[in-house]
Amino acid sequence: MKRITTITFFVFILIVILSGCEKKEQIKIGFLYSSDVTIRFNKESKFFKERAEALGAGVIVDHANDNDALQYDNAIKMMDQGIDLLALIAVNVNTAENIVKEAKARDIPVLAYNRLILNCDLDVYISGNNEQLGKDMAGYVVKQRPKGNYVILGGDRFDRNAVELMASIDKTLKPHIESGNINVLYKTYIENWNPDHAAFELDQLLSSYPQSIDAVISCFDGMSVSCINVLKKYGLDGQVIITGQDAQLESCRKIIEGTQHITLYHPLKEIAYKAAEVAIDIVNEENLNEKYDIAYVNNGYKDVPTVQISSIPVTRENIDEVLIESGFYKRSEIYQ
């Protein structure tokens, strides 16, 4: 009898151990992004949901109309609905630490998507490679206009992506500036990556500055399109090299038209799919280092495990291959 009792006890312990090793069932994830004004984030939320659901998870998607207070409220609502992880594209990377702190207090891991949230205990960060992005963007312009006057319009100064991208652009241009081949007439960050603000800055420059402009390094397609409209006002559209990023549809049309010359395409589906896979692995307490090529980025609080996905330069020469043959856009959408 004693032996049977002992065996029963060990069987019970074994069941408890094994059940503790089982992956969590019916995972629920919140994907909360900044605003659907940024077209790529809207697309990525759908790709993320698609992949997570294919892996058996449920996904709640919402955005915050670029309002950090509203984003906080929406995050709390998601937590109250019992999410197991929050994927967050922060409206404000400084104030979003409050969302992370609340999540950690509830033992909910947080995945920072595209924008690194500062001074908090993040679990993981999914990002592009901003150093390579800047090299590709500025390097292209230097090849097209090895000499001349440049204008640089960066993103929001409080967005680490904008700061890192600007640093890479500066580094790429530095030897050409020092040689005297390139003169940076004007450089600034644009609050919230706002297209209207970018257009205003360029219009003010063109209306008052006597020197000609040879290139505008614009760091976001939305700003690029607004700047093209300003250049058109001065009869300079198509003559000034202009860059962008995100491969937004209007910019792709401008590339075919010849008024924008390059955009940097983030393979949104690949990024979102990877983020969904990482999110589920975190909930299941998988070792990320064994499954992914992990880098580390410091957010002021800790070195955050980071998964990076590089972007693809898109010009008139390869736009069909990269964006149409991949199925990202239909040919009829771009060629009008």
Side-chain angles (χ1 to χ4, degrees), residues 29 48 85 87 111 274-284 292:
I29 299 172
F48 183 97
L85 178 141
L111 178 155
K274 184 73 70 178
E277 293 161 9
V278 170
I280 289 172
D281 283 339
I282 288 174
V283 176
N284 286 327
Y292 305 96

Side-chain angles (χ1 to χ4, degrees), residues 68-116:
D68 56 348
L70 177 60
Q71 188 167 57
Y72 180 85
D73 291 342
N74 288 347
I76 297 301
K77 289 177 184 176
M78 285 185 173
M79 295 178 206
D80 290 342
Q81 292 179 66
I83 59 172
D84 299 298
L85 178 141
L86 176 64
L88 182 64
I89 303 177
V91 170
N92 185 317
V93 297
N94 293 299
T95 61
E97 68 172 295
N98 295 315
I99 296 175
V100 179
K101 288 178 180 177
E102 179 62 30
K104 303 304 283 190
R106 303 187 189 205
D107 293 323
I108 299 171
V110 179
L111 178 155
Y113 191 112
N114 187 255
R115 295 175 178 172
L116 183 66

